[in-house]
């Protein structure tokens, strides 16, 4: 079986939001035997960025309202997709959509994502691993299309939106244009 990984790629801030506290975010995705691993590196002036405190690794809704890393994943040509949220608190969320922003439901994962967070003076690193077998609508797909993104909350409460590729108009991580990364399974 062949496994693929993406190169480290810089996420781009959306033009409607400005963050002078965030210096940059790099991300990558990697398909491994155990599943798919999403990696993020946030470089920022951390006294000016809100990082949620560590909590038990459990499912939680509304993570995107604060600093959170996200991945959207689907099979090429499919309308249905997953949204995965990973917070630096180690909380997570998984949603399934049957079409663009339609028919949302909680994705039933057999096992919680494995999330590790490392903090340094100049950066925060987050790795999240999800078992591919738990993403049932992707089973049998030879390739995956992925959108990597992040929401960063500043101390003022201002949110900035970061993605591999932004669709025209307002920030919208669900938009099909955002699925800019393709991986072989």
């Amino acid at each position: 079986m062949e496994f693929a990984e993406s190169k480290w790629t810089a996420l781009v801030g959306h033009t409607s939001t400005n963050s002078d506290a965030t210096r940059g975010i790099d991300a990558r995705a990697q398909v491994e035997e155990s599943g798919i691993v999403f990696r993020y590196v946030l470089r920022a002036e951390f006294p000016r960025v809100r990082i949620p405190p560590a909590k038990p690794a459990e499912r939680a809704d509304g993570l995107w309202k604060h600093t959170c890393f996200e991945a959207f994943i689907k099979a090429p040509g499919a309308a249905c997709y997953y949204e995965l949220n990973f917070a630096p608190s180690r909380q997570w969320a998984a949603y399934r959509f049957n079409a663009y922003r339609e028919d949302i439901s909680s994705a039933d994962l057999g096992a919680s994502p494995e999330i590790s967070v490392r903090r340094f003076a100049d950066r925060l690193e987050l790795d999240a691993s999800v078992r591919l077998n738990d993403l049932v609508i992707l089973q049998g797909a030879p390739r995956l299309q992925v959108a990597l993104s992040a929401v960063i909350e500043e101390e003022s409460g201002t949110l900035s939106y970061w993605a591999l590729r932004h669709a025209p108009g307002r920030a919208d991580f669900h938009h099909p244009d955002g699925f800019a990364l393709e991986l072989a399974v």
Side-chain angles (χ1 to χ4, degrees), residues 44-92:
E45 294 178 33
F46 286 105
R48 298 179 53 207
V49 173
R50 287 185 184 166
I51 303 297
K55 294 186 177 181
E58 61 189 9
R59 185 185 293 260
D61 289 321
L63 297 176
W64 55 269
K65 295 177 182 179
H66 305 284
T67 297
C68 176
F69 301 96
E70 301 185 359
F72 296 78
I73 186 168
K74 68 178 192 161
C80 52
Y81 64 95
Y82 289 102
E83 173 186 352
L84 306 170
N85 302 160
F86 313 111
S89 65
R90 295 185 326 120
Q91 292 179 304
W92 59 274

Side-chain angles (χ1 to χ4, degrees), residues 11 27-29 36-40 68-74 81-86 93-95 97 126 128 130 135 145-151 162 164 173-174 178-179 181:
L11 301 185
R28 73 188 296 182
I36 187 163
V37 179
F38 303 98
R39 292 188 163 94
Y40 302 87
C68 176
F69 301 96
E70 301 185 359
F72 296 78
I73 186 168
K74 68 178 192 161
Y81 64 95
Y82 289 102
E83 173 186 352
L84 306 170
N85 302 160
F86 313 111
Y95 306 100
F97 292 82
L126 182 140
V130 177
L135 304 174
Q145 290 180 316
V146 179
L148 299 175
S149 54
V151 176
W162 301 75
L164 286 175
F173 296 154
H174 294 255
F179 289 80
L181 178 64

Side-chain angles (χ1 to χ4, degrees), residues 62 71 155:
E155 273 303 314

Side-chain angles (χ1 to χ4, degrees), residues 25-45:
I25 304 170
D26 294 315
R28 73 188 296 182
Q30 182 173 343
V31 177
E32 299 179 347
E33 192 169 347
S34 61
I36 187 163
V37 179
F38 303 98
R39 292 188 163 94
Y40 302 87
V41 177
L42 166 63
R43 292 178 314 285
E45 294 178 33

